[in-house]
Amino acid sequence: MRVPSRSPGQQPRPPVSPSTPARRRPSGTAPRRLPATAPDLAAYREAVADLLVEVGALADAASTRARQVLIDERLREPALAAVLDATPQGLIGARETLLLEMARYQPNERTSARDLTALVRIYLLSRIDVLWWQDAPTFVTDDQVNGSADLVDLEWLRRRDLLCFRYQEQPATMLGRAARGLRRRLRPDATPRTAGLLFRRARREVVALLNDIGREFAAAAPPATPPLWVTSLVRSTEHQYRLRRLGYAAMLPSGHCLGYSMDVELAWYERFGARDALAELLLARQEAGELNVIDEGQAWHLCLAPTARRRLRRAYETEMGI
């Protein structure tokens, strides 16, 4: 791939000072001291899987009280408590938030949480993101995302053939939305069914990670499989609340609002016989400690591990010739 001499890091940028991400924690929480020994994430994921079996057995409305007792008891078990207690909310805060999310849950066509079991899985596994990046600054407002010097413009990179993945932006006008709807009716399977990115911006490390995954996927997938498709990247907390009001399973706090989480399409690749290949390489990266992976159905949620950040930043700078 040909790399231009001018890099995204040298682009003119808007003033940063009013848009700098704020280091905010959830209200009512205090900084927590991380344990001397990192929690066992493999044991945590296994304990979550066991809990989901029991939640699924208590899925009917009449079992609300039994589910509450189950959650209260199981979250105190060492494998689960070690991770939750190390997050900014702590064990008690995480428990109360999960119970509240369950009480408010309403199934709909938009949410990736198709049932209560999926909701519990998404919430508990997303706490790994929060554990990893709890000291990272949060993008609170849309203006902070658009004005941050820590993020690069994907469109600038795409036009220079520096991306190994695809995405689409959300239409900004009624005419754009109408055109998108027409294309979907004429060619319903040409692209994944996703709203697209509100912000076409990403951290440099995330760009390097997605390029790396994109190249590996291209090598592993059957011929004629489209490139890796990214459905969501950085979000502001402001936008996360918008998604919640629309019925999406947009958790708070979220790795998306820190810039280190992303969603990639999985279901669409079934028609190309490539879904399993992508799933396997993502899970292999989780096993290697580079990612946190959450199966959300159509798309999978990924979060970059802090231990991979330095390597990926160097990879980005090498690719861009910085």
Side-chain angles (χ1 to χ4, degrees), residues 230-276:
V230 178
T231 63
S232 184
L233 285 163
V234 63
R235 303 174 193 158
S236 64
T237 303
E238 182 180 357
H239 185 53
Q240 196 80 341
Y241 277 113
R242 287 192 211 110
L243 294 176
R244 289 176 65 85
R245 289 193 294 271
L246 291 171
Y248 290 95
M251 300 300 175
L252 287 166
S254 168
H256 284 289
C257 303
L258 306 172
Y260 291 105
S261 290
M262 65 225 80
D263 297 339
V264 298
E265 177 70 26
L266 261 287
W268 184 59
Y269 290 105
E270 284 279 12
R271 64 195 305 266
F272 304 101
R275 182 192 180 280
D276 289 347

Side-chain angles (χ1 to χ4, degrees), residues 12 31 69 77 128 132 137 141 148 167 173 194 221 228 230 244 256 262 267 274 279 293 309:
V69 172
E77 294 181 357
I128 296 175
W132 278 347
T141 67
S148 174
Y167 64 91
T173 65
T194 173
L228 181 73
V230 178
R244 289 176 65 85
H256 284 289
M262 65 225 80
V293 177
R309 181 183 181 185

Side-chain angles (χ1 to χ4, degrees), residues 182-203:
L182 178 60
R183 286 196 297 270
R184 282 182 175 173
R185 286 194 294 274
L186 294 176
R187 302 181 63 199
D189 297 319
T191 61
R193 298 189 65 83
T194 173
L197 306 182
L198 179 62
F199 307 104
R200 65 182 195 197
R201 296 170 65 75
R203 291 190 182 272

Side-chain angles (χ1 to χ4, degrees), residues 1-68:
M1 185 189 316
R2 183 175 180 273
V3 178
S5 60
R6 181 173 178 265
S7 74
Q10 296 168 309
Q11 298 174 83
R13 298 188 182 113
V16 174
S17 55
S19 304
T20 301
R23 290 186 178 273
R24 294 191 180 182
R25 297 179 181 273
S27 59
T29 65
R32 302 183 67 80
R33 180 175 298 175
L34 291 175
T37 303
D40 186 338
L41 297 184
Y44 178 79
R45 293 185 179 107
E46 184 176 347
V48 169
D50 291 343
L51 173 58
L52 295 177
V53 174
E54 297 181 71
V55 171
L58 299 172
D60 59 288
S63 300
T64 299
R65 177 57 182 164
R67 285 197 303 270
Q68 292 176 343

Side-chain angles (χ1 to χ4, degrees), residues 129-152:
D129 303 3
V130 177
L131 168 70
W132 278 347
W133 295 106
Q134 59 185 282
D135 292 325
T138 299
F139 294 102
V140 179
T141 67
D142 294 353
D143 286 343
Q144 288 178 354
V145 174
N146 288 320
S148 174
D150 294 328
L151 305 175
V152 293

Side-chain angles (χ1 to χ4, degrees), residues 33-163:
R33 180 175 298 175
L34 291 175
T37 303
D40 186 338
L41 297 184
Y44 178 79
R45 293 185 179 107
E46 184 176 347
V48 169
D50 291 343
L51 173 58
L52 295 177
V53 174
E54 297 181 71
V55 171
L58 299 172
D60 59 288
S63 300
T64 299
R65 177 57 182 164
R67 285 197 303 270
Q68 292 176 343
V69 172
L70 172 68
I71 294 294
D72 188 54
E73 291 180 350
R74 291 297 301 275
L75 294 192
R76 298 176 189 276
E77 294 181 357
L80 294 170
V83 169
L84 298 177
D85 200 43
T87 64
Q89 284 185 305
L91 172 60
I92 301 302
R95 168 191 172 278
E96 294 302 316
T97 299
L98 176 56
L99 290 175
L100 184 59
E101 292 284 355
M102 294 173 70
R104 291 177 173 175
Y105 173 73
Q106 292 290 334
N108 63 78
E109 294 182 354
R110 288 173 168 164
T111 183
S112 56
R114 295 303 182 187
D115 52 31
L116 274 174
T117 303
L119 178 76
V120 174
R121 180 180 68 250
I122 292 169
Y123 177 79
L124 289 178
L125 293 180
S126 69
R127 298 310 88 189
I128 296 175
D129 303 3
V130 177
L131 168 70
W132 278 347
W133 295 106
Q134 59 185 282
D135 292 325
T138 299
F139 294 102
V140 179
T141 67
D142 294 353
D143 286 343
Q144 288 178 354
V145 174
N146 288 320
S148 174
D150 294 328
L151 305 175
V152 293
D153 184 359
L154 294 180
E155 190 63 12
W156 194 94
L157 297 172
R158 185 191 67 80
R159 291 176 180 175
R160 288 154 180 81
D161 195 29
L162 292 171
L163 296 181

